[in-house]
Amino acid sequence: MVNVTKFLRVFVFLCFISFHAEAAVKKYQFDIQVNNVSRLCHAKPIVTVNGRFPGPTIYAREGDRVLVNVTNHAQYNMSIHWHGLKQYRNGWADGPAYITQCPIQTGNSYVYDFNVTGQRGTLWWHAHILWLRATVYGAIVIMPKQGTPFPFPQPDREEVLLLGEWWNADVEEVEKQGNNLGLPPNMSDAHTINGKPGPLFPCSEKYTFAMQVEQGKTYLLRIINSALNDELFFAIANHNMTVVEIDAVYTKPFSTQSLLIAPGQTTNVLVRANQIPGRYFMAARPFMDVPIPVDNKTATAIFQYKGIPNAVIPKLPNLPAPNDSAFALSYEEKLRSLNSAQYPANVPLKVDRNLFYTIGLGMNSCPSCVNGTRLTASLNNISFVMPQIGLLQAHYFDIKGVFKADFPDKPPTPFNYTGAPLTANLGTARGTRISKIPFNSTVELVLQDTNLLSVESHPFHLHGYNFFVVGTGIGNFVPAKDPAKYNLVDPPERNTVGVPTGGWTAIRFRADNPGVWFLHCHLELHTGWGLKTAFLVEDGPGSDQTVLPPPKDLPPC
């Protein structure tokens, strides 16, 4: 009897330990504060989290609950978005200012309380108001459930690489100046890897990130494009990379010498230290395949074998040409969901709602601007106007007059979208207009680039969801023939997708997450010009299919 009692005690204890290992509570304190930082021979005050640039990494395990208390000590209003976390029924923790919450005002705090459910991999967090994410950002690393291995060889070590941008001037002043002039703001002065531009820039020898590796070992690199406005190529001199995950979704592994990553996206790669011991540059440089000015300078970090002195000059990788569209398209074609029994690709095969959104740039009259016009951007000829109260609050509390749920499923005026350049804006309207989607319906959204002012690639991010990228192409989408070429077996599953220059991308998802979810271009420049909207996904019939009640400390408007 004693042995049975002892066994039961041990069993209960192990169950208790197992339960807590599976569902721990991770708590973080984020103090938003201004600190002086030096880069490129310039010192300036920047907004940081806990005085760090980039900010701290959030570590969690699939199934954990995460609480982040954000206290705002800076002069700007603040909100934080947990990019890629699905936040099931819990848009209150999603973070985009005036979409799911009003911002955290100076001197106030707000606790982001969310569960990490059914996700594992690399995501990230960033400010979601103004251009503050230029310095307010960091990684989210979600490990699989205890005892669940990676579906690829276990690495010996891992490293987070955050690709970013740096301005010598105050980023908020740069944005304001551009808006006042009606022109694009000044481009960044450098790109960075983990906040450091690397030794190709002045005064940057000590502002270079270095990663020490050992011969024969394998490393998992968690790469995040946290830049505001630039898609980036990334490579390591003399080393191949094996892509194993994108946007926290496992992929069929493939080897590549370079990768392309758009703002908002994440990519995990395995790298084996199998070259002659030395120092090798890791490098990031923009991809831009139209004649639009960008900061084309190369950020570098160092992949350094153990025992090699710092005096050895690193070797640069051969990155694709800045306008290498062929590489960009071929790279994207290689991305496939793992689609295994454990990690299936549940692609919606039947579509309840077909949406077709055109992406347009244009110019509106602005008497005070330098050219008498102001640049604008639109979806289906509607330039989105930000409300003064969170859309989710307006929806949940039935506050009238904040938005209209009448966003059109297709553009009002069909035209040759990618034909000769058009300088007109086709009468762009302005408004806070969003699309209402019935709960659990399946949606196909085709995003079509246009030649209004100029074609350009656009990375689009959908909050609250992953989606399957079932098709992409150059030119105009043709409904009668292009769907026949869709990949409905193992398409890549993402939260942020690049619409190719002068082309289109088709995505599918099931609208099973009730709430109001932001859809926007992740080039901060275009978001500010109005290239955004939202989906209002209605509540479902079940008690567990409705938006959760808001937290008591929700920031006031």
Side-chain angles (χ1 to χ4, degrees):
M1 184 68 184
V2 172
N3 286 342
V4 171
T5 304
K6 187 182 291 184
F7 171 79
L8 286 173
R9 283 177 180 165
V10 170
F11 178 77
V12 169
F13 175 75
L14 288 174
C15 286
F16 177 81
I17 292 295
S18 174
F19 173 79
H20 281 269
E22 288 293 312
V25 177
K26 303 291 174 63
K27 296 183 179 181
Y28 289 85
Q29 174 63 39
F30 275 21
D31 287 307
I32 309 297
Q33 56 197 55
V34 175
N35 295 84
N36 282 321
V37 171
S38 294
R39 296 289 187 275
L40 310 186
C41 318
H42 291 262
K44 69 168 186 176
I46 65 169
V47 182
T48 70
V49 170
N50 301 347
R52 295 169 61 180
F53 168 62
T57 298
I58 296 280
Y59 289 97
R61 193 174 286 281
E62 182 183 348
D64 284 354
R65 180 184 176 190
V66 178
L67 290 89
V68 186
N69 183 50
V70 178
T71 303
N72 187 9
H73 304 284
Q75 71 270 36
Y76 301 103
N77 287 343
M78 178 57 66
S79 72
I80 303 290
H81 171 50
W82 316 94
H83 186 115
L85 281 165
K86 294 179 185 176
Q87 307 287 14
Y88 185 67
R89 304 172 58 208
N90 187 27
W92 311 111
D94 190 41
Y98 301 109
I99 303 298
T100 58
Q101 67 169 93
C102 288
I104 307 163
Q105 297 173 17
T106 303
N108 290 356
S109 297
Y110 178 50
V111 177
Y112 291 94
D113 182 351
F114 52 87
N115 295 314
V116 181
T117 305
Q119 293 183 271
R120 79 295 304 163
T122 304
L123 296 171
W124 65 301
W125 59 264
H126 59 83
H128 212 303
I129 184 169
L130 307 172
W131 277 29
L132 292 173
R133 74 174 181 87
T135 57
V136 180
Y137 63 89
I140 302 173
V141 173
I142 306 168
M143 298 301 292
K145 288 182 179 179
Q146 200 83 313
T148 303
F150 294 129
F152 48 80
Q154 180 74 24
D156 295 294
R157 206 183 94 214
E158 57 181 65
E159 193 72 66
V160 169
L161 298 178
L162 288 147
L163 313 181
E165 290 181 87
W166 172 265
W167 279 260
N168 287 331
D170 182 317
V171 178
E172 291 308 310
E173 290 303 315
V174 168
E175 184 200 8
K176 281 181 193 172
Q177 183 186 41
N179 288 338
N180 291 338
L181 295 175
L183 298 172
N186 290 341
M187 67 186 74
S188 56
D189 295 289
H191 292 99
T192 59
I193 299 177
N194 287 350
K196 300 174 180 180
L200 304 185
F201 290 88
C203 305
S204 295
E205 281 295 334
K206 68 176 182 177
Y207 298 118
T208 300
F209 175 75
M211 172 183 173
Q212 189 180 87
V213 300
E214 294 184 44
Q215 178 80 28
K217 291 193 173 181
T218 299
Y219 298 86
L220 177 68
L221 304 184
R222 300 177 180 268
I223 305 166
I224 301 163
N225 187 345
S226 39
L228 265 69
N229 295 311
D230 292 335
E231 295 182 78
L232 296 167
F233 291 121
F234 176 86
I236 307 172
N238 286 27
H239 291 76
N240 286 340
M241 301 174 285
T242 301
V243 176
V244 293
E245 177 200 303
I246 53 173
D247 291 3
V249 180
Y250 296 133
T251 63
K252 288 182 170 67
F254 68 92
S255 180
T256 184
Q257 291 184 334
S258 302
L259 60 86
L260 177 63
I261 184 166
Q265 293 181 337
T266 71
T267 303
N268 282 10
V269 299
L270 293 174
V271 181
R272 188 164 177 79
N274 57 4
Q275 297 299 301
I276 297 169
R279 299 174 82 222
Y280 298 87
F281 272 134
M282 301 183 277
R285 185 179 66 199
F287 162 61
M288 175 55 75
D289 55 354
V290 289
I292 292 175
V294 293
D295 170 13
N296 61 6
K297 295 181 281 295
T298 302
T300 54
I302 299 173
F303 195 78
Q304 180 160 338
Y305 282 71
K306 187 176 180 180
I308 300 299
N310 292 346
V312 174
I313 297 173
K315 179 178 180 179
L316 273 167
N318 294 316
L319 288 163
N323 63 347
D324 194 341
S325 304
F327 174 88
L329 290 170
S330 67
Y331 175 81
E332 296 292 340
E333 286 173 2
K334 293 174 185 174
L335 297 172
R336 293 282 186 271
S337 289
L338 190 58
N339 193 24
S340 64
Q342 189 173 4
Y343 303 106
N346 296 315
V347 187
L349 301 180
K350 174 181 165 289
V351 174
D352 299 319
R353 183 84 168 268
N354 285 97
L355 305 175
F356 183 78
Y357 290 0
T358 54
I359 302 164
L361 303 178
M363 291 184 291
N364 283 348
S365 175
C366 175
S368 64
C369 295
V370 65
N371 293 324
T373 57
R374 183 191 303 280
L375 287 162
T376 185
S378 64
L379 286 170
N380 281 357
N381 282 13
I382 298 168
S383 188
F384 189 83
V385 177
M386 293 296 284
Q388 297 304 306
I389 180 174
L391 295 179
L392 182 59
Q393 289 156 290
H395 164 59
Y396 188 86
F397 294 109
D398 197 23
I399 302 170
K400 306 297 183 187
V402 176
F403 64 86
K404 291 182 178 180
D406 65 349
F407 192 90
D409 287 3
K410 58 185 179 181
T413 308
F415 61 98
N416 183 6
Y417 306 115
T418 56
L422 298 167
T423 55
N425 62 14
L426 299 183
T428 301
R430 300 181 76 246
T432 310
R433 299 170 64 182
I434 66 178
S435 184
K436 187 179 285 189
I437 308 289
F439 180 82
N440 211 37
S441 58
T442 53
V443 178
E444 178 176 306
L445 168 61
V446 176
L447 291 160
Q448 172 73 61
D449 188 29
T450 71
N451 210 353
L452 288 166
L453 290 190
S454 173
V455 290
E456 188 177 348
S457 59
H458 299 270
F460 265 81
H461 174 46
L462 176 58
H463 292 225
Y465 287 90
N466 279 0
F467 47 75
F468 292 97
V469 186
V470 296
T472 190
I474 300 301
N476 296 342
F477 175 75
V478 181
K481 69 172 188 177
D482 285 325
K485 297 179 283 189
Y486 284 176
N487 176 5
L488 300 177
V489 177
D490 60 352
E493 183 181 345
R494 312 207 69 138
N495 62 61
T496 305
V497 65
V499 180
T501 300
W504 56 271
T505 292
I507 66 172
R508 286 187 181 181
F509 63 96
R510 181 176 293 279
D512 56 2
N513 189 6
V516 180
W517 304 105
F518 207 18
L519 171 72
H520 62 98
C521 180
H522 220 278
L523 303 180
E524 210 63 39
L525 185 63
H526 294 168
T527 303
W529 290 349
L531 196 51
K532 51 197 173 188
T533 184
F535 291 127
L536 192 170
V537 178
E538 297 177 298
D539 285 344
S543 59
D544 61 346
Q545 297 172 337
T546 61
V547 175
L548 292 168
K552 292 178 181 177
D553 66 338
L554 194 68
C557 294

